[in-house]
Every structure is written in C-alpha cells, then in structure tokens.
DNA sequence: AAAGTTTATGCAACCGAGTTGCAAAGTTGT
DNA sequence: ACAACTTTGCAACTCGGTTGCATAAACTTT
C-alpha cells in the first residue's frame, strides 16, 4: 500500500502506521464516514487518536468534512487536486432511510448571487432524500 | 400583540403566554437565533421550556431550523404561506466574522439534478462568508 | 363551580459528539 | 545514545440537545 503512503506525503502528512490504516479505511468507503463509524472499524484504536488523525487529514485537505445535519460530522476523501475552494465543492446527499452520506462529486455546488457586499468563502449543500439503494 | 396570537392560532398552536413571548422575540430578530441565544433574552425562563416551544413551533411550521455548522441549531420565522417544502426553501448565510445566520429569503435554493432513482425530500444550503455589516 | 382530564412548564439529570491536558511511546537528528 | 520533537492513549471535561417526572395551568364535563 505504497500508494496511500505517497498520498499522505503529497499532502505533507507524515505517514505513520495509524494514518495509513485510517486512510485505507477511508479509501475503501463508498460513503462518507463519521468518527464513531471509524472507531468501530478498529478494535483497539483510541477515539482521540482517530479524531486527531481526521483533523490532520482535513487540515491538509486530504479529506473534507460534511455536516449533514445528523449530529455527527462525516468525512470523505478529497480528489487529488482538491483545494477545497468554492469551485472544488460538490453536493452531498444524505439518505434519510439508510443514513448514508454520499459525495455527489459529479454535481458541483451551484453558484449563488449573494446580496451586494456579501462575500463568499464556502458553501455547504446537503440534499436529503432516498438513495438508489433504498427505494 | 393580537397579531402574534393569531399567528399561533393559524398554525394550530395554543397561544400561551410563554409562546407569545417567544414568538415576539423571534419576530424582533433580523437574524436566526439559537436556543442559547433565546435563553439569554429571558431572565427567568427554563431552557427546556424554550426548547419545547421551539420544537412545537417547528413542527407546526411557524419557524424553520437551520443547521449552519456552528454546532448550535438556529431558528427563524417562516413566511405565512410556508409549508417547508423544497420549493419554499431559501439559502442561508453564516457570517464567519459576526457569526450571525441570515435567511436569504429572496434566494431560493437552486434545484439540483440528482442521480437517477435518488428522490429529493429537502435541501440545506448554507453559504459562509462575510456579511455586509462586517466588511 | 367542583372534579377530572388534558396540556404546558420547570427542575434534575442524562446523553453523545467533540474536545483538551497530560503523560507515555515512538520518531528524528546530531 | 541522548536530546528534541511528534504521535498516541487515557481520563476527564464541555456543551448542545434531550428525556423523565412532578407540579402548575388550562380546558371539559357534569
């Protein structure tokens, strides 16, 4: 799994064993994952370590966080080129049945015309409904 | 303040003294307000009562809640005609400087083309940036 | 108007996600 | 091998939100 190691290095994150494991879990997910979810993937890892790992990943834009309104923040991998700028942002989808949160990476967040003298930094757009697996 | 009383009755909420007071506070706000904010507007009211009042208002679509990602849910009045359906939804704006959350009632939430067989229930769209008062 | 029923309010206490402090373990550089 | 720094793990805390239960207030029925 040299690939993950270089992914970490690309984002200037020191590749420790723990971090590679967490990255592996994140890579294997098709949906975004919460800290609690992540904790359950490991039998023995400490919540705080995972928490700080996610923070480090997020600070270095390896992952992005999604506040989907469920009360727990989810995390998902960024694209290689992502800088988490407004033009990089995509829509997220929360299935109200299976509670999975998906990155709709093909759907960019629509631009909005803000009132005059409002400046834009970022946008969080979460669509809720029923996903294809739950119909 | 008969007006607020009838606003409550229109939404089939029994107009108690407490509820009229809370509605008055909400009416006076230009920005959305959190439970903690609301609590501070009263010297003596109990948090739980305010909490349940907000819940009742929300269930009856007198107000809507906004999860702006700050960790505390904000509430703001709905329009008279609002049914909180997707077509009623508007964009919200969180100022990262003053932490105020505004309803941009003139800006409807843009429609998104979901992947096939994804059905839409609701959308939460929060734009973050600097508001006109904080430039 | 009194008794009974329902609804709203208030207090205490709990819950869970996120977070911090600090010490131990591991890593890096000389 | 030693010092300096970074990462990990444990304990404990914060804070927003929530529930249970008892009291108070408001309606109903006679």
């Amino acid at each position: 799994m040299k690939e993950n190691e270089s992914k970490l290095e690309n984002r200037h994150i020191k590749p420790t064993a723990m971090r590679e494991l967490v990255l592996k879990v994140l890579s294997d997910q098709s949906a975004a994952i919460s800290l609690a979810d992540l904790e359950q993937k490991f039998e023995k890892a400490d919540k705080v370590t995972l928490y700080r790992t996610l923070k480090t990943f997020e600070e270095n834009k390896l992952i992005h966080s999604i506040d989907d309104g469920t009360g727990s923040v989810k995390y998902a991998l960024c694209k290689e080129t992502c800088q988490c700028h407004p033009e990089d942002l995509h829509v997220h989808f929360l299935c109200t049945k299976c509670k999975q949160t998906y990155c709709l990476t093909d759907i960019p967040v629509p631009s909005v015309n803000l009132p005059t003298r409002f400046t834009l930094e970022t946008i969080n757009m979460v669509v809720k409904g029923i996903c294809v697996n739950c119909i």
Side-chain angles (χ1 to χ4, degrees), chain A:
Chain A
M1 196 43 74
K2 279 281 170 226
E3 197 182 317
N4 279 339
E5 199 177 316
S6 62
K7 272 192 187 175
L8 289 169
E9 280 166 351
N10 287 344
R11 294 292 188 169
H12 310 107
I13 302 164
K14 208 189 292 181
T16 66
M18 190 77 242
R19 287 170 179 172
E20 291 190 42
L21 285 171
V22 172
L23 179 53
K24 172 130 184 30
V25 171
L26 287 164
S27 304
D28 290 349
Q29 295 293 315
S30 64
I33 192 176
S34 70
L35 174 56
D37 296 335
L38 185 60
E39 212 182 338
Q40 302 206 347
K41 300 275 173 181
F42 296 89
E43 274 309 311
K44 62 171 295 296
D46 183 61
K47 188 178 75 161
V48 179
T49 304
L50 297 172
Y51 166 73
R52 288 196 264 236
T53 303
L54 291 172
K55 282 280 170 192
T56 304
F57 284 7
E58 190 183 9
E59 275 161 24
N60 293 281
K61 301 184 172 40
L62 179 63
I63 63 176
H64 60 279
S65 63
I66 307 133
D67 186 339
D68 60 10
T70 56
S72 47
V73 178
K74 308 277 174 62
Y75 299 88
L77 283 181
C78 289
K79 289 185 183 171
E80 297 274 345
T81 59
C82 178
Q83 286 302 315
C84 295
H85 290 154
E87 62 273 17
D88 294 318
L89 301 172
H90 53 262
V91 172
H92 292 99
F93 186 90
L94 168 64
C95 178
T96 53
K97 199 163 174 189
C98 66
K99 313 295 180 204
Q100 297 267 49
T101 299
Y102 300 98
C103 289
L104 304 181
T105 44
D106 293 341
I107 307 181
V109 167
S111 61
V112 275
N113 286 315
L114 293 176
T116 41
R117 311 248 187 101
F118 278 66
T119 62
L120 181 145
E121 286 170 7
T122 186
I123 299 180
N124 182 32
M125 187 167 187
V126 178
V127 178
K128 293 181 200 179
I130 307 291
C131 77
V132 66
N133 303 316
C134 287
I135 300 179

